[in-house]
């Protein structure tokens, strides 16, 4: 599959007034409304176009899986800073399965690192798309200074494919932290909110926070000396690295039992300083 094929497919759909349901690994089909239309599977449009670890820039085709991208970046000790969630079969080693980078950008979903590092759109430098008329369009570039006028490359982030079919995407990437340490505290919801805000106002290497069912979790990431100093200052119980890694991945990918309830799952966005919402149903604060 190439850009010409996708362009012709869009033009044909426009001529026949046929809706298209754009998808990659279909791991985020639960997100948003029900899409009705002829499937347009972009997974064959795959591959890393350019990756320059020294420049901290990655350009990749939208159908490429997160698993493949992260495998390549691991060798350079680098990462996508927004900690993209993997859903469905994201851990599969079978080529062409799992969450794709195109779906990640289209859904605009980030992981636990978002409040402290940034969201997906903060790291999208450029995008190439096929618009609703079948035109091949490019926006942004490989460096932030290339952006002029409307920043369409960030506008398509979170648009769920309504502005066009994503083709190529360029990202700013970052080195992986040298050390990750997770601390555990037992405290109620009000205390956790107060503590998270207090910690966020200090020069601490925080990369994730979580509270659920009376337990607060705090992840510190960065240079060994800085993390150790923060750890001594903050106290708490140190969580085993393997257990901590499993916990943050389960939260990122929503595989914890909390997320599998038959009851509807609501995501409520409020200012971080908001007091407890006093809801009757179970809550997870991130």
């Amino acid at each position: 599959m190439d850009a010409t094929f996708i362009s012709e497919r869009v033009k044909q759909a426009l001529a026949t007034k046929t809706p298209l349901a754009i998808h990659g690994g279909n791991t985020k089909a639960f997100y948003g409304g029900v899409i009705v239309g002829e499937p347009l599977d972009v997974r064959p449009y795959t591959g890393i176009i350019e990756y320059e670890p020294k420049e901290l820039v990655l350009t990749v085709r939208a159908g490429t899986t997160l698993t493949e991208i992260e495998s390549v970046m691991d060798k350079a000790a680098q990462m996508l800073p927004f900690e993209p969630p993997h859903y469905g079969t994201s851990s599969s080693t079978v080529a062409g399965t799992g969450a794709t980078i195109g779906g990640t950008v289209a859904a605009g979903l980030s992981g636990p690192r978002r409040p402290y590092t940034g969201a997906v759109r903060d790291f999208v430098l450029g995008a190439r798309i096929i618009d609703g008329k079948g035109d091949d369009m490019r926006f942004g570039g490989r460096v932030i200074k290339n952006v002029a006028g409307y920043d369409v490359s960030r506008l398509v982030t979170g648009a769920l494919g309504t502005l066009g079919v994503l083709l190529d995407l360029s990202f700013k990437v970052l080195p992986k932290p040298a050390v990750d340490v997770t601390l555990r505290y037992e405290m109620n919801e009000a205390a956790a909110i107060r503590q998270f805000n207090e910690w966020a106002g200090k020069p601490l290497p925080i990369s994730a926070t979580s509270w659920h069912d009376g337990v607060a979790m705090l992840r510190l990431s960065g240079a060994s000396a800085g993390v150790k100093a923060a750890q001594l200052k903050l106290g708490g119980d140190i969580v085993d690295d393997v257990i901590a890694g499993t916990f943050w991945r389960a939260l990122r990918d929503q595989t914890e039992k909390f997320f599998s309830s038959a009851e509807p799952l609501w995501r409520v966005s409020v200012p971080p300083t908001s007091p407890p919402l006093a809801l009757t149903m179970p809550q997870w604060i991130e």
Side-chain angles (χ1 to χ4, degrees):
M1 176 184 284
D2 58 15
T4 301
F5 174 87
I6 296 174
S7 175
E8 291 303 317
R9 182 74 185 279
V10 172
K11 289 177 181 178
Q12 181 183 27
L14 178 63
T16 59
K17 297 184 179 180
T18 303
L20 291 176
I22 308 163
H23 72 87
N26 251 336
T27 60
K28 302 174 185 65
F30 66 90
Y31 188 64
V34 177
I35 300 175
V36 178
E38 289 188 2
L40 176 55
D41 187 350
V42 299
R43 284 177 297 175
Y45 189 75
T46 184
I48 294 175
I49 298 171
E50 189 174 14
Y51 176 39
E52 298 183 16
K54 292 183 179 179
E55 299 296 328
L56 298 176
V57 173
L58 167 73
T59 302
V60 62
R61 294 186 177 91
T64 312
T65 63
L66 291 177
T67 301
E68 179 183 346
I69 293 170
E70 291 175 350
S71 176
V72 171
M73 296 183 69
D74 277 344
K75 297 174 183 177
Q78 294 182 350
M79 65 180 184
L80 293 168
F82 48 90
E83 200 169 0
H86 293 235
Y87 295 127
T89 57
S90 60
S91 61
S92 173
T93 57
V94 179
T97 63
T100 63
I101 192 65
T104 297
V105 172
L109 298 177
S110 305
R113 201 179 297 271
R114 172 179 177 167
Y116 307 98
T117 306
V120 186
R121 60 169 41 89
D122 298 318
F123 295 94
V124 176
L125 299 176
R128 178 187 176 197
I129 72 171
I130 298 294
D131 71 359
K133 295 182 179 179
D135 294 333
D136 190 335
M137 309 180 75
R138 298 174 185 265
F139 303 96
R142 294 178 59 258
V143 295
I144 294 175
K145 291 182 180 179
N146 280 357
V147 176
Y150 292 109
D151 196 351
V152 178
S153 57
R154 286 188 171 91
L155 184 63
V156 298
T157 305
L160 295 174
T162 58
L163 300 179
V165 184
L166 298 178
L167 292 180
D168 306 337
L169 298 158
S170 293
F171 298 90
K172 177 74 172 180
V173 303
L174 292 179
K176 281 190 171 183
V179 177
D180 287 311
V181 171
T182 296
L183 303 176
R184 183 184 187 278
Y185 308 83
E186 292 188 6
M187 59 179 69
N188 61 34
E189 180 183 358
I193 293 174
R194 182 174 62 252
Q195 198 68 76
F196 289 161
N197 280 282
E198 180 182 325
W199 288 335
K202 296 180 178 180
L204 297 169
I206 300 175
S207 63
T209 50
S210 164
W211 179 88
H212 174 61
D213 198 21
V215 175
M217 301 282 272
L218 172 73
R219 186 176 65 190
L220 304 172
S221 303
S224 179
V227 169
K228 186 174 182 180
Q231 172 192 329
L232 294 174
K233 183 184 298 184
L234 297 173
D237 298 322
I238 300 176
V239 181
D240 176 81
D241 287 346
V242 175
I243 295 175
T246 300
F247 171 81
W248 293 114
R249 282 192 299 274
L251 178 58
R252 179 196 72 184
D253 300 341
Q254 296 184 8
T255 56
E256 284 282 351
K257 185 178 179 181
F258 172 85
F259 298 100
S260 61
S261 170
E263 297 296 321
L265 179 65
W266 290 78
R267 183 174 65 178
V268 182
S269 297
V270 297
T273 54
S274 297
L277 300 181
L279 302 176
T280 58
M281 64 282 292
Q283 299 176 63
W284 196 306
I285 298 174
E286 186 184 355

